[in-house]
Amino acid sequence: MMFQLYGPTSGWQLLGWLMVFVGLVLVNEFARRTKFGGITCFIFIPLALTVYFIAIYVCAALGQEWALNNDTYVHMNSWFHYAKLYAATIGCVGFMALKYKWGKLGKAQWFKCFPFVIVAINILIAVASDFESAIKGYMESGNWGGGWWKSSEGVWLYGGWWNILNGFAGIFNILCMTGWWGIYSSKKRQDMLWPDMIWMFIIAYDVWNFQYTYLNLPTHAWYCGIALLLAPTFANALWNKGGWIQNRANTLALWCMFAQVFPLFQDASIFTTVPSLYADGGIAAATAATMPTSVDPTAQGVISLLSIGINVFVFGVIMMRAKKQKLNPYTHEIFTDTKDYKEALARKE
């Protein structure tokens, strides 16, 4: 089993997952359907949170107890969390500019490559974090077979060769994004559509990103590694074909905001769920003052092999299709004959 879902809290853990999944689906619908919803979620709320974050760090520097003991300051102080929050939010605003055709920027042909650029940046942030964990694990153990190191947020991570494999899987995932310029608005301008981003890419991305969270955010992976990834995939499959990347950016930004302000939901509550990595001790072992005494990295290795395998396979399919069609897969759409592409394109204005 990949997660420790047993004992008296298992029902609460499953309930917590369901609440996160349903909540993200519903809030994404609020954000995508109207300008008011989008502006509220991705401009007004982030601005208010920025003021809050600055106040915390300024007051902490002045030695004020409320800031030094603030949950955000104690549990969510990694560079990664802030980079991910603001990169995702910038993506959401850029996607709104494209779907609503705001100003010269939203109408400019060159700006259609923005979704690729911002998604690539988000992936590279995670790739850098994966390589960081592998290096720190090596520095602690002297080999790539696994080593414990403690993050700035007080969580023990087990870095090793699996991080390196998954980092390369992330790089391949960037190369699996095709048809950069094939960006459209839907008929009601509720969605920014990227029709060439079909199910193969979505699966490759979901497996890679799940493994990233499993390796580097282990105490959060039950939520941000499964519920958060399935929410946009679920919407894309059932009613928002072609809008996956917008759904993904929206739900990611919204989750990052929630997690940054309420970290104890994942870290220290009845809903807390940790992976099988911590063979003994659960969350207590993950956050203990001393290094865990036992470890089970089996799932880490297996999923990394799956992640790199799927992404290399999808990249190979793209290259074969591009060669057969005699097209550059990045300047042209190459999945135009697929059901996914046709259903998404039918929604464009």
Side-chain angles (χ1 to χ4, degrees), residues 2 130 144-146 158-166 169 207 210-212 214-215 275-277 295-309:
M2 292 189 297
D130 247 330
W144 300 107
Y158 200 63
W161 60 265
W162 33 79
N163 292 92
I164 297 174
L165 274 190
N166 202 55
V207 174
F210 167 75
Q211 176 64 341
Y212 169 76
Y214 196 74
L215 295 175
S276 55
L277 170 68
V295 61
D296 181 5
T298 304
Q300 290 187 309
V302 171
I303 301 168
S304 277
L305 289 170
L306 184 64
S307 175
I308 188 70

Side-chain angles (χ1 to χ4, degrees), residues 27 33 35 48 61 134 152 267 286 328-329:
V27 179
R33 288 178 179 273
K35 289 182 181 179
S152 62
D267 291 339
N328 183 321

Side-chain angles (χ1 to χ4, degrees), residues 38-339:
I39 291 171
T40 298
C41 289
F42 307 121
I43 296 179
F44 292 155
I45 294 177
L47 285 175
L49 288 179
T50 299
V51 173
Y52 174 63
F53 297 149
I54 292 173
I56 291 172
Y57 280 87
V58 169
C59 291
L62 295 174
Q64 295 186 16
E65 287 297 320
W66 77 269
L68 291 170
N69 296 321
N70 184 277
D71 291 339
T72 296
Y73 184 78
V74 174
H75 297 277
M76 300 293 283
N77 54 48
S78 168
W79 67 269
F80 172 80
H81 292 299
Y82 286 100
K84 203 70 175 176
L85 168 58
Y86 286 103
T89 303
I90 290 169
C92 294
V93 175
F95 295 173
M96 286 195 296
L98 283 165
K99 77 174 181 178
Y100 293 127
K101 294 182 169 57
W102 282 342
K104 293 182 179 179
L105 193 65
K107 298 182 181 72
Q109 179 66 21
W110 66 265
F111 193 62
K112 287 188 175 182
C113 70
F114 172 78
F116 165 78
V117 172
I118 197 66
V119 174
I121 289 172
N122 270 276
I123 293 174
L124 286 173
I125 290 170
V127 168
S129 184
D130 247 330
F131 288 155
E132 176 189 37
S133 185
I135 292 168
K136 288 188 174 181
Y138 177 83
M139 292 171 64
E140 292 297 326
S141 67
N143 63 74
W144 300 107
W148 288 110
W149 66 279
K150 203 167 193 178
S151 73
S152 62
E153 295 160 352
V155 176
W156 287 101
L157 305 180
Y158 200 63
W161 60 265
W162 33 79
N163 292 92
I164 297 174
L165 274 190
N166 202 55
F168 281 113
I171 294 171
F172 271 103
N173 195 248
I174 293 173
L175 299 176
C176 290
M177 288 188 284
T178 61
W180 301 352
W181 306 96
I183 303 297
Y184 311 93
S185 294
S186 63
K187 292 173 183 176
K188 296 181 180 180
R189 292 199 178 179
Q190 292 182 335
D191 301 298
M192 183 202 77
L193 304 175
W194 189 340
D196 219 46
M197 191 171 271
I198 67 166
W199 65 269
M200 281 198 298
F201 172 82
I202 295 171
I203 291 175
Y205 178 95
D206 281 356
V207 174
W208 160 75
N209 194 263
F210 167 75
Q211 176 64 341
Y212 169 76
T213 65
Y214 196 74
L215 295 175
N216 301 280
L217 303 169
T219 58
H220 298 176
W222 177 238
Y223 298 106
C224 69
I226 301 183
L228 175 57
L229 284 169
L230 286 182
T233 301
F234 177 77
N236 181 83
L238 297 185
W239 67 83
N240 195 359
K241 189 69 73 177
W244 176 84
I245 193 61
Q246 174 193 264
N247 297 340
R248 168 59 180 165
N250 288 358
T251 52
L252 176 60
L254 291 163
W255 174 253
C256 287
M257 295 176 209
F258 172 82
Q260 201 72 4
V261 178
F262 303 105
L264 295 188
F265 174 82
Q266 300 173 96
D267 291 339
S269 77
I270 200 168
F271 303 112
T272 299
T273 307
V274 297
S276 55
L277 170 68
Y278 307 102
D280 294 314
I283 188 64
T287 58
T290 57
M291 184 185 300
T293 56
S294 58
V295 61
D296 181 5
T298 304
Q300 290 187 309
V302 171
I303 301 168
S304 277
L305 289 170
L306 184 64
S307 175
I308 188 70
I310 289 174
N311 276 279
V312 169
F313 174 79
V314 173
F315 177 71
V317 170
I318 289 168
M319 291 299 103
M320 287 191 294
R321 291 182 68 92
K323 182 179 181 180
K324 183 178 180 180
Q325 298 175 27
K326 297 180 180 180
L327 293 174
N328 183 321
Y330 306 115
T331 58
H332 295 81
E333 297 160 281
I334 64 165
F335 289 104
T336 56
D337 59 334
T338 64
K339 181 182 177 182

